[in-house]
Amino acid sequence: LAVVHYNLASAEEALGDWALALAHYGETVQGAPESGSTLRVDALLGQARMFRRLHRIEEGRAALERAQREATTLGNPAALAPV
């Protein structure tokens, strides 16, 4: 079900419905596996983008930092770059 929410979020983002996309990215984060999930990291990055578009900068920064922390568990060296 998390993948369905992610796909909906991506479509809504493309259509410019950022509030609805944000809600679906949140559902993706809630439904994705707790660890080792690139889907979860991608959804957190989606949340960061939507928060930025909605001028909710601090929430966007928090989502970006959370995505970076979770990405480090995936063994991706690029995730170690400072935010």
Side-chain angles (χ1 to χ4, degrees):
L1 189 58
V3 173
V4 172
H5 283 291
Y6 183 82
N7 289 337
L8 287 169
S10 295
E12 290 151 355
E13 181 177 357
L15 292 171
D17 192 341
W18 301 321
L20 195 52
L22 178 60
H24 281 285
Y25 281 130
E27 291 292 328
T28 304
V29 171
Q30 294 299 316
E34 290 283 327
S35 63
S37 172
T38 57
L39 179 63
R40 186 179 179 85
V41 172
D42 288 344
L44 286 165
L45 291 171
Q47 281 185 319
R49 285 192 308 273
M50 295 307 96
F51 281 131
R52 181 181 55 85
R53 291 199 181 268
L54 294 167
H55 306 287
R56 295 165 60 180
I57 303 304
E58 290 306 314
E59 290 166 290
R61 181 179 302 279
L64 185 58
E65 289 171 356
R66 187 172 167 199
Q68 185 179 29
R69 281 193 308 275
E70 294 199 21
T72 61
T73 66
L74 301 176
N76 181 350
L80 301 175
V83 175

